[in-house]
Every structure is written in structure tokens, then in C-alpha cells.
Amino acid sequence: FDDTILWRRGKRMAFAAPEDWNFSRDARLNGAEKLYATREIELRHVGNVAFPNNHAWGEWKEDQAGAPWPSWKHEAVAAAGRIAGYMTYDELAWLADQARARECIVEIGSWKGRSTKALAVAQEKGVLYAVDHWRGTQGGDATGREAAEQGGSVRGLFNGNLLPELESGRVVPLQVDHAQAGDALMAKQVTADFVFIDGDHAYPAVKRDLETALKLVKPGGLIAGHDLNAPG
């Protein structure tokens, strides 16, 4: 169970990566080809509180519910939620909020298109450049193995998931190694008002992608990323 305390906007904030996420990742790394979540077998996690898997648990708090989502945001999150990936619904909703008024978005690391879908469906006008080599992370990572199972690349899955957006030209895929992303985009004279980074999580790669983002983003634009709990 990974937990830590982060400093955000002048306040301390608890951060946790639950044990079921790490168990799933470890199982995959140790050769489990398929992992399933099911309600067919009733289980109960027992501690100070019992958490069942066969029905909802917890207490709804009205003061935390917030206003209902507008239809465009619900559509973006619902469409993205149908694509396999590592983004939570709250994260997809945040991406949709940020994308709404942006005219040029660059996403470094698109994989099967879960986050891409949320961004593209929410974006009112403009274009989204999806940068990836679609081979996954090499050297034992689950994404690399999954790409190998798909013949070396998951680009076909991405294309299927983003078909309407690709056909309309609202999403432009750029299949390059991330190290070449900056040159490729600058050759197209791309200037972005939002750059979202979710590529290789190794420290040198993240640093490189941030440097690329700084070259591409307009003054006053937004640079954001995912997976801050990655080692390093």
C-alpha cells in the first residue's frame, strides 16, 4: 500500500495507491495473463469496516456531491470510460473540463485512447495531436507485453476506439518515439494551449517530455500530467 503526503496549493494532502492496484500490477508482472473483477463470487474485505464486492457501500454525502455534470461532460467521461485504461472517472472529468475551451491540445502518451477520448469529446473546437509509438514501455512493463500480444503495437485498438474523431480530423495521431515528438510537432508549427503528459514514466523521459511541452505551449497555456506516484 503506497501512501505519502503531498504539498498542494499551500496545504498538505494525503495520497494513496491502494493495495488492490499494486496487487494487480504485481500479478501482471509475475505472469498473470488475465485479471478479472467479478461480483459472481461474493467477497468481503474485513477490517474496521467490511467492504463487500457484490453491492455498493459507503455513505452518500450531499455536501460532497456537487452540481450535476452538464451533458457534454457526461458524454465525454462515459465515452472514455468504455475504453480500457488507467484513468479514473474523476481524472477523466478533470481532463474534460480542461479540454472544453482549448483549441490545440497535445497529448504525449495516448495508448488505447481512454484519456484521448475524454479530451476530444469535450473539446468544443480545434484539434488534438495524439503522440505515441503505441508499443508500450519496454523492459517488462505490462504495456510492452500487451503491445507484443497485439503484434507489436496497440495502434489498431487506438484507431478503433477513436474512429469518429480520427475520421473528422479532430484527432491527429502522430506515431513517433516521444523523444522525437517536439521536433515533429514544431515541424507542423504546432503551438498548444494544453499539453497533457502520460508517456514513459521514467525520470529522464518525464523530464524530456516536460521540456518538449515547454517548447510547444502558448504563454498562459496549461501543462499537466498523470501518475505522480511513479517511482522517481
Side-chain angles (χ1 to χ4, degrees), residues 125-158:
K125 61 181 180 179
V127 64
L128 186 158
Y129 292 90
V131 180
D132 211 315
H133 48 55
W134 284 283
R135 299 190 304 270
T137 303
Q138 305 304 300
D141 183 272
T143 58
R145 288 198 300 279
E146 186 170 3
E149 293 166 2
Q150 295 289 328
S153 169
V154 299
R155 175 66 187 275
L157 298 176
F158 174 86

Side-chain angles (χ1 to χ4, degrees), residues 11-28:
K11 295 182 179 180
R12 292 181 178 86
M13 182 183 76
F15 173 84
E19 69 272 25
D20 48 353
W21 282 77
N22 288 325
F23 171 79
S24 298
R25 290 170 177 146
D26 289 346
R28 182 80 184 195

Side-chain angles (χ1 to χ4, degrees), residues 34-45:
K34 295 182 178 180
L35 300 172
Y36 297 98
T38 180
R39 293 181 178 178
E40 294 299 316
I41 303 169
E42 294 185 11
L43 299 173
R44 187 172 295 270
H45 179 155

Side-chain angles (χ1 to χ4, degrees), residues 9-214:
R9 297 178 182 177
K11 295 182 179 180
R12 292 181 178 86
M13 182 183 76
F15 173 84
E19 69 272 25
D20 48 353
W21 282 77
N22 288 325
F23 171 79
S24 298
R25 290 170 177 146
D26 289 346
R28 182 80 184 195
L29 288 171
N30 283 281
E33 292 184 1
K34 295 182 178 180
L35 300 172
Y36 297 98
T38 180
R39 293 181 178 178
E40 294 299 316
I41 303 169
E42 294 185 11
L43 299 173
R44 187 172 295 270
H45 179 155
V46 178
N48 293 332
V49 180
F51 306 110
N53 74 333
N54 61 321
H55 60 80
W57 50 266
E59 180 181 349
W60 182 261
K61 296 184 181 298
E62 290 293 337
D63 60 337
Q64 294 179 6
W69 286 352
S71 59
W72 61 264
K73 185 172 177 179
H74 186 276
E75 180 186 357
V77 175
R82 290 190 285 270
I83 300 172
Y86 304 100
M87 285 270 170
T88 68
Y89 287 104
D90 284 343
E91 290 166 343
L92 293 171
W94 186 88
L95 287 177
D97 283 335
Q98 303 310 312
R100 185 64 172 166
R102 311 287 177 176
E103 294 189 6
C104 181
I105 300 172
V106 172
E107 180 182 49
I108 301 177
S110 299
W111 195 229
K112 296 178 187 175
R114 184 176 172 94
S115 54
T116 320
K117 193 79 167 183
L119 292 165
V121 172
Q123 191 178 16
E124 282 190 288
K125 61 181 180 179
V127 64
L128 186 158
Y129 292 90
V131 180
D132 211 315
H133 48 55
W134 284 283
R135 299 190 304 270
T137 303
Q138 305 304 300
D141 183 272
T143 58
R145 288 198 300 279
E146 186 170 3
E149 293 166 2
Q150 295 289 328
S153 169
V154 299
R155 175 66 187 275
L157 298 176
F158 174 86
N159 288 350
N161 291 330
L162 273 296
L163 186 60
E165 292 77 19
L166 293 171
E167 289 182 339
S168 69
R170 290 168 54 213
V171 171
V172 177
L174 193 60
Q175 188 162 357
V176 295
D177 286 339
H178 297 174
Q180 282 78 54
D183 291 340
L185 289 163
M186 284 188 285
K188 292 178 176 289
Q189 298 183 322
V190 171
T191 54
D193 46 9
F194 181 18
V195 180
F196 178 60
I197 300 171
D198 191 15
D200 186 338
H201 296 350
Y203 180 90
V206 175
K207 181 175 183 289
R208 176 202 64 213
D209 290 345
L210 284 167
E211 290 170 344
T212 296
L214 287 167

